[in-house]
Each structure stands twice: as structure tokens, then as C-alpha cells.
Amino acid sequence: MLGVFGVRAPAGYPWQIMEHTPGQSVFARLEPLLEQVSKPIQYVGGELNSTVKDWDCGGHGPGGEELTTRWALMYPDAYEVGVPNQGVMILYEVLNEREDALAERTYAVWPDLEALMRERAVPQFTVDAHRSVRDFDVLGMSFSTELGYTNMLTALDLAGIPLHAVDRTDEDPIVVAGGHAAFNPEPIADFVDAAIVGDGEEAVLAVTDLIGAWKAQGRPGGRAELLLRLARTGGVYVPSLYDVSYLPDGRIQRVAPRADATGVPWRVAKHTVMDLDAWPYPKQPLVPLAESVHERMSVEIFRGCTRGCRFCQAGMITRPVRERSITGIGEMVERGLAATGFEEVGLLSLSSADHSEIADITKGLADRYEGTQTGLSLPSTRVDAFNIDLANELTRNGRRSGLTFAPEGGSERIRKVINKMVSEEDLINTVAAAYGAGWRQVKLYFMCGLPTETDDDVLQIAELAKKVIETGRQVSGRRDIRCTVSIGGFVPKPHTPFQWCGQLGAEETDARLAKLREAIRSDRRYGSSIGFRYHDGKPGIVEGLLSRGDRRVGRVIEQVWRDGGRFDGWSEHFSYERWMTAAETALAELPVDVAWYTTRDRGESEVLPWDHIDSGLDKEWLWADWQDALDETEVDDCRWTPCFDCGVCPQMNTSIETGPTGKTLLPLTVLGSGRDAMLEAHAH
């Protein structure tokens, strides 16, 4: 049976209708274009450990019904950013292990290839088998940042999928959003058919089961029935089945299931995987052909965080803490290194040094791989969790890169506001130990624009950096000590205690950062030893608009895309003026504007756009924590103290799962002898 690839794009694009067999490769049409674009290798596929399955791997039912569920998984950014993404890599492998499912990957194409694809009628394609994305049952988008929304629209348009969910037919895939940004899916509600929040491993398999059953029954009720079935599970949000009403001043009055959407819940719950050892993915990590942002084999050592940093959406929405066992980590590292040939192992989590057995993990792995080229890294290290023993294990194989710490706030006062329980003494003692042990470079990460922040709070960053340099010089006896201060703009996020607070304006952010730069440079004793990196306040305002926006913001996203917006997470492609002009046009007839969404404080009783997405956190608890922030009251980590009643464990039927297990990793000789025997057997 012939399918039809026809692209519905703005008038004037020279698209032509082309017929093809569903699942057929479009590489023959793509290949002539690759010599005309930059980095063509990113579109070729064929990476080590990639998978290409038969289009009909699930077979057919007795009446000829198709039984294969096909997923196109997209990280809406360039290949080099998307290919190492752990979330997509895990789902790709989990789905492809199913006999009745297949998953392929697609990424955002650069503007040079986009133009050629439009000219030659080449659709958005997967990199695995170069199949048209429109041929798949599901297009799953993983958003770790809201700045990928315009890339989503490009992909939909190139695929020939209508931008608006309401315009799609039974021939179009179900477009599903996931990732951290999906915890407020409202700004993209017009463009996605569904959103899944939380952990994806079990969720994608449940959706696969549901689609497979619907197909086996002969697709009763078409697309509308499938979406209704998904929504009734309580774990998939389908925006089209909910109505939103507004108050005259622009605030939301209510978000409720449509009257005809029987069985659809008022709130949609996040998914939580409890036993990480039961999900040891990725087992066969992808090895990119082209250069990527992370050239390493990564293992997630635990999920969730209960430190309670009030600015941190990731920590709030991934509760509770669930640790992977030391033996489970060891098995994943061994298998992953054998499957990839990488020489660096990243031990990933939101705060890796907080694993209850981190010392045993790093020592065990360092013992196991001593004398090899394998190095270890902790991409995320807290000041108060760092120690020299840990650092020495990480650098035992001779790799000693710079250390990065994140005090986040420059003053003791602001660190109490954000619940970042790190004192100046903690920081100075930690860097003294590091410089004394031979490190020469330390990077410190801070934020600007935090709630209640003053100029003085930010200027204290300069004083802190000077003390770090002075301490390093004293303990090392050297003058070549360096400290890099990196500043990011604070953006209030949904499902955090700061979801109600007004954001600092772009001009105010830039003025504050200018004062800080001057304070660092003006002291000649230290200025040349302190590096200063910062982003201006403009991208943060756009991110704030998208992170706390409602459905009305969708028209702004679409206008920006039609005006040429692409790759907004890249400074060379981002245009603040384009976003502000589009917002002024798109919101002109509404009682809201960019400032209303970004710099305005919200009241306790206001209905927030994401209130119907259940992260497990009680809204009352979040508000109380917001009041504690204003009072500069710190709250302990509930892993080691009595429960603070945030709501996650009882509402999600979960619990904190931490060690210690008391187990150890086997030494290298055991592994090595087995590997040597295997190699010897192959040689003979």
C-alpha cells in the first residue's frame, strides 16, 4: 500500500507530493545533499550499537492487522548535543528490546540542510534507517530545555505533520512530549498530542502495549479513540481533552477535562521507576560517529535529589532519591566499556557525591581499572560532599582536569534563601584542600537574579573569588592559581518553591553583572587570575516566558518560528528582538504580555498553568517553603532527617531508597582474567 508524503507548510514553499512505501528509506534523496552542508556525518547514522529493525518486526494479526508499534525518538537539538542524551538512549534501547516495537532516532537539522530538504522535498528522517518521521506511530520529543520548541516546529513541518494537533489525521503520528520541560506542557499544548512526565522506561512500554492492543483491534475510533485511551490511563496528558478558562485580568480560572471526555482525570500523575537495578540501561551505549558534547560512557548512579535547593526544578520533580547499587553500577560500567571502547566513565546524578556508597564506588572502580586508560568523572560535585580521598580516586589514572563547584549564591544570606547549605568556610576549606593536593584550576558557578537578591549579594561573588585565589596561593606556594567564575541567570521554574516569584528583568540582570565584572577586574592583585563568564539577561527572559507560560504562549512560539527562529539554545542563532517582536504581535489582543509571564509575582491562590500536572509535591508545601525562603530559613535533606511532608512519597506510593548495601566490587584481576581468556579463545 502506498502512503503519501505531503508537507503542509506556509504558502510559497516549493513542496511537491511524493508517494512512497511506509518505512522505506529516503537516503537516496538525502545523500546528494550531504556534500553541500556542514558536518554531513551527523546525518549518516550507523553508529556503533545503533539498531535497525525490520519495519514489520511485530508481524500481523489474523485479519492482516499491523502489530508493530513504531517510535521516532527526537532530541530537538543538533546531533552533537542530542546523541549522548541519556534519556533518549535509554528509551531507544528499552523499546528496541521489544519484539513488537522498533525505535529510531531523529535530531534537529541545521538551517543549511533544512533549506535543501525543502527545496528537494526530503522529509524529516531518522538517522538509523533514514525513514520518514511521518511513517511512525509515535514521534516522541524529549525536552530538557524549553528553548528547543522552535526546533520541534521545524521537525514537524519538515515531516509533513500539521503543526497543530487539531489538524492531524489518522495518517499522522501521535506527537508526545517528555523530559523536564514537559512538567509544564501548556506552551506547546497546541502542537503536541500528549505529554508524559517523569521516568520514561515503564511509561513508553505501557504506551506501546496500549497502541499495540488498539492496532490489533483494527484501530477502532481512529486517532481520537487512541488519545482517549491514553488519557484514561492517568499517566498521559492529552491537552485537547482539557478546557482552559480565564479571568478578565488574564489569570487562569480553571483547567478541567472536557465535558465529553469521560474517564479522563483532573490531574495527570508523573511516572516513577523505583528499582533502578532492574533497569540497567543503556546496556549498549551509542558511540557517535561525529564529535559530540560528551565523549564518555555514562552511568546514572542514582535518580532524584532531596537537598531541597529551592531553585532546582530537577531536584524537585525527580523525588524521591533512588540509588543504584554498587554492584549494579560496577556491572553497567564493565558492560558499557566493553561495548563502547570509551576511556572515561561519567558517574551521573544531580549530585553524584551524595550517593551513600560513593567512596566505595570510586575506590572500587579505580582499583578495578588501575593501569588502564579508563578515567572516572563526577560531573556534579557539591562543595560539602567533596574530599581529597574522593578526588584522588577520580584522578588515579593521571587525569586531573579542573574542579567545578556550585555555591550558586555569593552571600551567606542568599544561600539561605535558596537553601544551598554551603558556608563560605566550607568553600574555602574545600578549595584549600584541592589546591594543596595539586589542582591549579577551580571553576565556581553562581546565579544572578535570585529572589530577594541585592547588588551586594552579587558583589560578594567577587570577594569570594579573591579569597579562593589567595587561599590557593597560600596552600600551594604558587602564583599560577586560577579561578573561573561562571554566572547564569536565574529562571523561576514550575514545581519549585520559586514558581510564584517574579524574575529579574534583562536590563537589571545586565547592570548587576556589569558591576560584578568591574569589581573583579578593578583589583589588580587578583583580577588576572579570575576568569569571568556570564550570559546576558535576555535568553533568561525568553526561557522564563516558555517555562511558566500557558497555552496562549503557543502563538508566540509559532510566530517566532515563522519569523525564522531556530536553535534558540545557541547564542549565534538566538534573537531576543525576534522573540519580543513576536510576543508583542501574538499577544496584542490579550491582557497579558512578556512581563506578565516573567517579572510578575504570583499570589498563593492563583491557578498556575501546570497545577493539573501532578509531580507529587503538595502545592501547600511548596508555598510554605517559599515563605521559608523569604524568611531565610534553611531546610535539611530529608534523607537524613525526619520527613518534611513534601507529599511525594505518599502521593506517588514511593519511598526514598538509599544504601549502603555493604557490598564491594570485584578486583580487576577477576575481570581481566575472564576477558583475557575470551580474547585467547578468539585468537585460536
Side-chain angles (χ1 to χ4, degrees):
M1 184 182 77
L2 289 179
V4 176
F5 160 56
V7 176
R8 307 163 181 83
Y13 286 149
W15 288 103
Q16 56 197 93
I17 302 297
M18 303 192 96
E19 292 186 341
H20 74 288
T21 303
Q24 178 184 347
S25 172
V26 300
F27 192 71
R29 287 153 57 195
L30 172 68
E31 187 177 22
L33 310 183
L34 297 183
E35 63 185 19
Q36 305 175 54
V37 301
S38 62
K39 300 182 182 177
I41 196 169
Q42 65 187 308
Y43 307 117
V44 171
E47 303 96 336
L48 181 63
N49 300 326
S50 61
T51 302
V52 176
K53 297 179 73 171
D54 184 77
W55 187 247
D56 291 313
C57 60
H60 293 82
E65 306 89 358
E66 244 184 9
L67 300 181
T68 308
T69 302
R70 307 179 183 95
W71 289 73
L73 299 173
M74 180 174 194
Y75 191 85
D77 207 325
Y79 175 92
E80 63 199 81
V81 178
V83 74
N85 179 262
Q86 285 289 102
V88 171
M89 210 183 293
I90 288 168
L91 299 186
Y92 176 73
E93 205 169 295
V94 166
L95 286 164
N96 278 322
E97 283 187 356
R98 286 270 296 247
E99 290 186 0
D100 60 347
L102 68 84
E104 298 188 13
R105 298 161 295 126
T106 186
Y107 304 102
V109 300
W110 285 112
D112 57 355
L113 182 59
E114 180 193 343
L116 289 170
M117 288 167 67
R118 292 190 183 283
E119 190 180 304
R120 306 291 176 85
V122 176
Q124 179 79 25
F125 56 87
T126 60
V127 296
D128 296 292
H130 297 95
R131 291 160 169 156
S132 170
V133 164
R134 189 173 184 242
D135 290 346
F136 290 76
D137 298 306
V138 186
L139 171 56
M141 302 257 189
S142 180
F143 293 102
S144 57
T145 169
E146 298 84 0
L147 294 175
Y149 291 161
T150 50
N151 284 352
M152 169 187 67
L153 297 188
T154 302
L156 290 174
D157 191 49
L158 286 173
I161 301 169
L163 293 188
H164 299 116
V166 69
D167 296 328
R168 292 176 195 145
T169 70
D170 290 354
E171 300 301 310
D172 294 302
I174 301 295
V175 180
V176 181
H180 287 182
F183 274 82
N184 176 22
E186 292 304 284
I188 53 173
D190 289 344
F191 314 120
V192 300
D193 296 294
I196 298 174
V197 295
D199 299 332
E201 293 95 332
E202 294 169 328
V204 295
L205 294 183
V207 170
T208 298
D209 287 339
L210 195 148
I211 294 175
W214 172 75
K215 280 187 163 188
Q217 294 165 10
R219 307 174 187 244
R223 180 187 197 85
E225 171 66 19
L226 177 58
L227 290 172
L228 190 58
R229 290 187 187 188
L230 288 168
R232 283 173 175 162
T233 65
V236 180
Y237 174 55
V238 178
S240 62
L241 297 178
Y242 291 77
D243 288 327
V244 183
S245 55
Y246 302 93
L247 296 168
D249 64 1
R251 290 177 299 150
I252 294 173
Q253 182 178 37
R254 195 174 78 151
V255 179
R258 277 186 0 216
D260 59 343
T262 55
V264 174
W266 282 75
R267 300 189 80 204
V268 179
K270 78 170 181 181
H271 297 261
T272 305
V273 168
M274 288 308 300
D275 183 4
L276 289 190
D277 280 342
W279 298 88
Y281 296 91
K283 299 173 184 175
Q284 304 278 318
L286 292 164
V287 181
L289 292 176
E291 185 178 352
S292 66
V293 291
H294 297 305
E295 301 285 345
R296 65 185 180 214
M297 197 279 292
S298 298
V299 173
E300 183 185 28
I301 63 173
F302 72 87
R303 196 172 289 181
C305 183
T306 48
R307 285 280 187 168
C309 299
R310 294 177 174 124
F311 57 83
C312 182
Q313 184 191 46
M316 291 290 172
I317 63 178
T318 58
R319 293 182 174 206
V321 170
R322 292 142 287 150
E323 289 188 351
R324 202 181 296 278
S325 70
I326 183 172
T327 48
I329 292 166
E331 289 163 8
M332 287 186 68
V333 170
E334 180 196 358
R335 185 172 53 226
L337 288 174
T340 62
F342 280 127
E343 294 183 347
E344 181 183 346
V345 177
L347 303 177
L348 303 187
S349 77
L350 291 173
S351 184
S352 295
D354 282 343
H355 192 291
S356 61
E357 295 185 297
I358 190 62
D360 294 329
I361 290 167
T362 52
K363 184 180 187 307
L365 290 173
D367 285 347
R368 180 178 278 195
Y369 297 104
E370 187 163 18
T372 71
Q373 294 297 309
T374 303
L376 304 175
S377 65
L378 291 186
S380 174
T381 311
R382 285 182 58 91
V383 170
D384 52 348
F386 175 86
N387 60 68
I388 291 302
D389 289 339
L390 175 62
N392 286 338
E393 298 296 358
L394 293 171
T395 59
R396 202 192 292 179
N397 283 331
R399 300 183 181 205
R400 180 164 291 194
S401 55
L403 293 171
T404 300
F405 300 107
E408 309 289 0
S411 68
E412 296 275 354
R413 187 195 74 79
I414 204 70
R415 288 195 291 273
K416 288 180 179 178
V417 170
I418 65 177
N419 206 46
K420 187 79 174 184
M421 291 179 281
V422 175
S423 68
E424 182 175 307
E425 184 181 6
D426 289 335
L427 179 63
I428 296 303
N429 288 342
T430 297
V431 298
Y435 285 130
W439 269 269
R440 297 286 170 264
Q441 169 80 20
V442 167
K443 183 177 179 181
L444 302 178
Y445 182 80
F446 298 90
M447 284 188 289
C448 178
L450 291 162
T452 78
E453 181 185 271
T454 64
D455 285 357
D456 184 62
D457 291 315
V458 173
L459 291 174
Q460 285 194 45
I461 294 172
E463 298 307 310
L464 203 54
K466 293 172 187 176
K467 289 177 183 176
V468 165
I469 294 294
E470 186 59 41
T471 300
R473 289 173 178 173
Q474 288 176 4
V475 299
S476 68
R478 300 174 63 115
R479 302 290 295 178
D480 61 343
I481 296 299
R482 291 278 301 167
C483 171
T484 299
V485 172
S486 183
I487 312 277
F490 167 65
V491 178
K493 294 285 186 174
H495 306 281
T496 71
F498 291 160
Q499 63 184 1
W500 289 278
C501 75
Q503 189 175 347
L504 189 66
E507 294 77 14
E508 294 90 337
T509 299
D510 291 348
R512 203 163 276 175
L513 290 174
K515 291 177 182 177
L516 174 59
R517 184 177 62 239
E518 178 59 28
I520 289 173
R521 290 180 175 173
S522 61
D523 193 329
R524 294 188 177 181
R525 294 171 299 167
Y526 306 107
S528 61
S529 298
I530 300 173
F532 185 53
R533 297 178 182 172
Y534 67 95
H535 298 286
D536 63 44
K538 292 177 179 178
I541 290 295
V542 172
E543 189 181 339
L545 169 70
L546 299 177
S547 67
R548 290 197 292 174
D550 52 44
R551 293 189 180 191
R552 296 168 291 188
V553 171
R555 63 188 74 187
V556 181
I557 299 169
E558 184 173 347
Q559 186 62 53
V560 168
W561 175 77
R562 291 189 182 279
D563 291 342
R566 307 287 190 274
F567 291 94
D568 288 294
W570 296 67
S571 57
E572 61 265 42
H573 294 281
F574 174 79
S575 168
Y576 181 71
E577 290 69 26
R578 179 161 51 215
W579 277 96
M580 293 305 103
T581 301
E584 192 173 340
T585 302
L587 303 176
E589 298 177 3
L590 299 172
V592 296
D593 57 14
V594 171
W596 192 89
Y597 286 110
T598 57
T599 57
R600 175 181 68 95
D601 286 328
R602 281 78 165 157
E604 182 179 7
S605 62
E606 179 167 343
V607 176
L608 303 175
W610 50 89
D611 279 348
H612 55 293
I613 303 298
D614 186 4
S615 64
L617 296 162
D618 285 332
K619 194 175 180 182
E620 294 78 11
W621 177 82
L622 287 170
W623 178 264
D625 205 38
W626 170 224
Q627 301 312 298
D628 283 344
L630 296 175
D631 293 336
E632 300 171 20
T633 302
E634 294 176 307
V635 178
D636 287 329
D637 185 337
C638 68
R639 267 176 294 184
W640 323 119
T641 60
C643 174
F644 291 107
D645 295 323
C646 74
V648 167
C649 290
Q651 287 186 202
M652 299 283 127
N653 193 28
T654 57
S655 60
I656 290 174
E657 295 199 354
T658 60
T661 62
K663 297 181 180 179
T664 56
L665 294 177
L666 293 171
L668 177 66
T669 50
V670 176
L671 295 178
S673 60
R675 189 178 293 112
D676 292 343
M678 181 183 71
L679 293 173
E680 189 174 343
H682 280 296
H684 294 293

